[in-house]
């Protein structure tokens, strides 16, 4: 039954023309996985980085620790933040990220601190997201999504931290993200995308409503658990802000509030991401501890989604980095060993070119 569900999903995502199904490869089963891929960005570069791991504990950035795609080549604001990666039921990889450069004025990209007046639209006040899709993690199609242009009836104050998941009931890819209308509270929304991952085909709807209307929520991360239920991790900006969890039988509604904190950070943190260790009943929550200097990722691990074991931070516990520091807003997925080998080999060859690598990122812009 599970295989049939994935097969139907792959056919739906590959449908072209008048209902003619285009055959697409299915994603590998977990027993075939042998590596992990982490995507992240850094504040100094506002660009995309990738790091791989064979054991899920020690991560090494590809391309010699340099970005794999420069933010100023794919984003309207000349910088990206908050990258997320997801493997769809069609076997393709989907990446979504925020189109925003915090230091655009200092870089000479604009004449003002933000694109629009901060009093009217709040901090950051971007309106764009970046969508990428690939079948090999190397060659990517690229599209910029302006929410205000797609939905002019919405007074978009900001659009941040987009993530993707497949909705098997709707038979569509679902994009969910943080959005602020005007200069109001940030809340969590969702909408559906076309199969090519180029645009939204439905208007954003509210995903989850926090019981205290005075508290902002942001940075949603949704994972379907083995029991079929959906786990929503998100940030509640209390004092200090941190990670909370809600569960539902529906992918986009019915999440029940749980007051317990998930993270083990002493101060404020954000950007949760849930991933599973290969072949084990162990699930890890990655989160970004932005309240410390230098900032770092923290990790907790669970087997029952009730109790969470603190794994510490990168290079301060069992989780390690080998050639990079201070990553921001990351996401981790499983890869096959062959996929990891191909990705590492490609960037090992390209890194010999030096900084020119960034300008030769294999994007298929506008496709």
């Amino acid at each position: 039954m599970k295989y049939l569900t994935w097969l139907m999903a792959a056919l739906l995502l590959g449908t072209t023309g008048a209902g003619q199904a285009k055959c697409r490869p299915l994603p590998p089963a977990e027993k075939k996985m042998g590596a992990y891929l982490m995507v992240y960005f850094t504040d100094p570069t506002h660009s995309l980085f990738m790091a791989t791991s064979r054991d899920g504990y020690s991560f090494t950035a590809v391309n010699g620790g340099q970005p794999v795609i420069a933010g100023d080549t794919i984003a309207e604001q000349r910088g990206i933040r908050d990258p997320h990666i997801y493997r769809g039921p069609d076997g393709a990889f989907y990446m979504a990220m925020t189109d925003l450069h915090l230091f655009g004025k200092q870089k000479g990209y604009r004449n003002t601190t933000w694109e629009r007046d901060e009093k009217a639209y709040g901090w950051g006040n971007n309106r764009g997201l970046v969508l990428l899709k690939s079948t090999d993690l190397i060659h990517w199609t690229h599209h910029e999504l302006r929410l205000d242009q797609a939905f002019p009836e919405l007074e978009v104050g900001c659009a941040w931290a987009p993530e993707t998941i497949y909705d098997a009931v709707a038979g569509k890819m679902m994009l969910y993200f943080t959005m602020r209308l005007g200069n109001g509270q940030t809340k969590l929304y969702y909408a559906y995308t076309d199969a090519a991952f180029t645009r939204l085909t439905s208007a954003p709807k509210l995903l989850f409503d926090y019981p205290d209307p005075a508290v902002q929520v942001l940075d949603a991360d949704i994972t379907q658990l083995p029991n079929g239920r959906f786990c929503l991790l998100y940030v509640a900006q209390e004092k200090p802000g941190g990670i909370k969890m809600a569960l539902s039988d529906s992918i986009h509604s019915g999440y029940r509030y749980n007051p317990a904190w998930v993270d083990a950070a002493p101060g404020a943190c954000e950007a949760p991401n849930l991933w599973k260790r290969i072949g084990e009943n162990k699930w890890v929550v990655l989160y970004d501890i932005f309240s410390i200097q230098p900032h770092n990722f923290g990790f907790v691990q669970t087997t029952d989604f009730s109790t969470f074991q603190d794994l510490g931070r990168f290079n301060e516990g069992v989780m390690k980095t080998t050639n990079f520091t201070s990553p921001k807003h990351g996401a981790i997925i499983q890869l096959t060993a062959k996929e990891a080998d191909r990705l590492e080999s490609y960037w090992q060859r390209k890194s010999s070119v030096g900084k020119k690598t960034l300008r030769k990122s294999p994007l298929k812009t506008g496709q």
Side-chain angles (χ1 to χ4, degrees):
M1 179 61 72
K2 185 175 181 181
Y3 177 84
L4 181 60
T5 300
W6 279 104
L7 178 60
M8 292 174 65
L11 291 176
L12 282 169
L13 283 178
T15 299
T16 58
Q20 295 182 344
K22 180 179 178 182
C23 184
R24 297 288 178 86
L26 294 172
E30 184 175 336
K31 64 182 180 181
K32 294 185 177 180
M33 298 298 180
Y36 304 84
L37 170 66
M38 180 173 71
V39 297
Y40 63 95
F41 84 101
T42 65
D43 273 333
T45 66
H46 276 66
S47 294
L48 177 71
F49 293 76
M50 291 182 176
T52 56
S53 172
R54 300 306 167 124
D55 61 6
Y57 290 93
S58 179
F59 287 80
T60 299
V62 302
N63 197 27
Q66 296 300 308
V68 298
I69 300 178
D72 62 6
T73 65
I74 58 173
E76 186 176 83
Q77 286 208 24
R78 308 284 296 278
I80 61 94
R81 300 177 69 83
D82 318 326
H84 177 263
I85 189 166
Y86 176 79
R87 190 199 292 264
D90 56 352
F93 298 93
Y94 296 80
M95 273 202 298
M97 54 198 75
T98 305
D99 187 330
L100 174 63
H101 202 306
L102 296 192
F103 316 124
K105 183 178 180 180
Q106 296 93 311
K107 292 285 187 179
Y109 299 150
R110 55 179 177 260
N111 297 322
T112 56
T113 302
W114 309 116
E115 283 191 320
R116 298 174 294 169
D117 179 61
E118 185 171 354
K119 290 183 179 180
Y121 295 102
W123 186 94
N125 69 54
N126 72 307
R127 296 157 285 181
L129 305 174
V130 178
L131 307 180
L132 302 175
K133 184 177 179 180
S134 173
T135 58
D136 62 3
L137 295 171
I138 296 171
H139 303 89
W140 297 88
T141 60
H142 160 235
H143 294 269
E144 297 175 45
L145 171 63
R146 278 282 298 270
L147 286 172
D148 60 322
Q149 294 176 357
F151 306 99
E153 69 276 15
L154 298 178
E155 187 184 10
V156 179
C158 77
W160 298 336
E163 296 198 7
T164 312
I165 190 171
Y166 179 72
D167 183 345
V169 175
K172 300 176 182 179
M173 296 299 296
M174 189 179 98
L175 188 75
Y176 55 100
F177 47 92
T178 301
M179 185 166 65
R180 181 175 62 230
L181 298 179
N183 198 7
Q185 299 284 80
T186 59
K187 297 184 179 182
L188 305 177
Y189 293 83
Y190 76 94
Y192 292 105
T193 79
D194 63 336
F197 205 51
T198 64
R199 60 186 178 88
L200 295 184
T201 60
S202 68
K205 294 182 179 180
L206 198 64
L207 174 69
F208 172 71
D209 212 359
Y210 201 71
D212 185 346
V215 175
Q216 296 196 120
V217 292
L218 60 155
D219 291 359
D221 181 80
I222 300 174
T223 303
Q224 187 168 22
L225 304 181
N227 63 7
R229 303 199 76 194
F230 295 92
C231 175
L232 167 67
L233 294 171
Y234 65 97
V235 173
Q237 283 194 333
E238 297 188 9
K239 295 181 180 180
I243 313 303
K244 290 192 175 182
M245 178 182 70
L247 298 174
S248 176
D249 293 324
S250 168
I251 196 171
H252 55 60
S253 62
Y255 287 100
R256 298 187 64 179
Y257 172 75
N258 184 336
W261 294 103
V262 171
D263 67 90
C269 61
E270 61 185 5
N273 175 247
L274 178 66
W275 51 281
K276 185 179 183 299
R277 294 199 182 278
I278 299 169
E280 300 181 78
N281 182 34
K282 294 179 180 178
W283 297 76
V284 182
V285 180
L286 170 159
Y287 50 91
D288 187 334
I289 311 175
F290 66 90
S291 59
I292 59 174
Q293 291 298 329
H295 53 253
N296 200 348
F297 284 173
F299 302 86
V300 294
Q301 185 170 277
T302 186
T303 59
D304 58 10
F305 290 87
S306 178
T307 57
F308 294 85
Q309 173 193 3
D310 183 12
L311 299 183
R313 307 166 184 167
F314 262 145
N315 301 319
E316 298 176 13
V318 297
M319 305 298 295
K320 307 291 184 182
T321 67
T322 63
N323 63 346
F324 65 97
T325 59
S326 296
K328 292 289 295 177
H329 204 119
I332 294 175
I333 61 170
Q334 298 175 357
L335 296 182
T336 66
K338 183 177 180 180
E339 289 169 335
D341 288 342
R342 181 177 61 211
L343 182 67
E344 292 165 353
S345 296
Y346 175 85
W347 284 109
Q348 186 174 18
R349 295 193 302 270
K350 296 290 284 187
S351 63
S352 62
V353 181
K355 293 185 178 180
K356 292 182 180 180
T357 301
L358 271 158
R359 300 302 158 198
K360 295 183 179 179
S361 297
L363 290 169
K364 300 177 181 178
T365 305
Q367 296 183 4

